[in-house]
Amino acid sequence: MAKVLIVEDEPDLSDPIRAFLTHEHHLVEVVDNGLEALERLRFYKFDVIILDWMLPGLQGVEVCKQYRASGGSTPILMLTARRQTQEKVLALDAGADDYLTKPFDVYEVSARVRALLRRPAAVSSNLLKVRNIVLETSTFRVTRNDEEVQLLPKEFALLEFLMRHPNQVFSAEALLDRVWASDSEASPETIRTYVKRLRQKIDTNGQPSIISTVHGVGYKLES
Ligand code: CA
């Protein structure tokens, strides 16, 4: 079973998709405008998002961008009436994983959803574990040696990103791009501060830090 969010304002389109996916034992929720979609995604975790381009409130492509900028990693299937290559490129660049052009068949929607669910577990998993640290995205919990660690939302987001990309080095600028909102006023100094605070909260005394500094380059989380 997958938890699917459909963002579509036309019931003529969302109803058949909802019915078909529900019949396939998925848990399906529908919202009918872009702002509500972002709100829902901020508080709840889905396995796949089916996102229409034309939406009241906020266009689908903007929803996609803002969701990715806030660290959201759930696969997105974009629905579009636009056949031009440029629009498809815009959708993919905004962070969509796939797109379908209207009109489409519910069988095809279902097949695309299955394909997106086959993505590597490391990308879509709710539970991340590195050494003695466990991070659960669905409940916003982090534990060290089974004891809960209290993190601020941004500390959590930074740790989640690093845990999803273990042993890869990221510059402070790259972390700002990937973890902070695009209109954020944060600077590389912000990243240094957050890394320092994260180390204080999650490292084990007497052991090397789980987040190492690669001098002149950036940071990486050692698995
Ligand atoms: Ca629409």
Side-chain angles (χ1 to χ4, degrees), residues 8-10 13 52-56 102:
E8 167 63 274
D9 56 315
E10 294 147 79
L13 283 172
D52 189 35
W53 185 298
M54 299 293 285
L55 290 170
K102 295 174 186 174

Side-chain angles (χ1 to χ4, degrees), residues 103-190:
F104 47 76
D105 194 290
V106 283
Y107 286 91
E108 189 170 7
V109 176
S110 166
R112 301 287 181 109
V113 166
R114 275 200 301 282
L116 290 175
L117 288 170
R118 283 196 297 268
R119 291 189 355 160
V123 177
S124 52
S125 173
N126 291 337
L127 193 72
L128 303 166
K129 193 171 185 305
V130 173
R131 294 204 229 161
N132 58 345
I133 305 293
V134 176
L135 179 147
E136 201 175 350
T137 57
S138 51
T139 54
F140 281 93
R141 279 185 87 232
V142 173
T143 58
R144 182 184 62 189
N145 300 327
D146 298 325
E147 279 179 32
E148 188 154 2
V149 180
Q150 299 295 333
L151 297 184
L152 297 171
K154 259 321 189 221
E155 294 169 350
F156 185 95
L158 180 61
L159 180 62
E160 180 184 350
F161 179 81
L162 291 170
M163 288 179 82
R164 286 192 188 280
H165 304 88
N167 305 316
Q168 290 181 42
V169 184
F170 294 96
S171 66
E173 287 79 7
L175 291 172
L176 278 177
D177 271 358
R178 302 289 290 272
V179 183
W180 265 254
S182 25
D183 60 356
S184 157
E185 286 172 8
S187 70
E189 187 53 40
T190 314

Side-chain angles (χ1 to χ4, degrees), residues 66-116:
Q66 291 190 25
Y67 175 63
R68 291 288 186 240
S70 67
S73 58
T74 298
I76 295 177
L77 170 63
M78 194 110 184
L79 305 179
T80 167
R82 302 162 187 239
R83 294 184 166 278
Q84 297 93 330
T85 306
Q86 201 197 344
E87 307 294 351
K88 294 170 183 172
V89 169
L90 269 180
L92 296 172
D93 280 352
D97 299 89
D98 197 3
Y99 59 82
L100 261 181
T101 327
K102 295 174 186 174
F104 47 76
D105 194 290
V106 283
Y107 286 91
E108 189 170 7
V109 176
S110 166
R112 301 287 181 109
V113 166
R114 275 200 301 282
L116 290 175

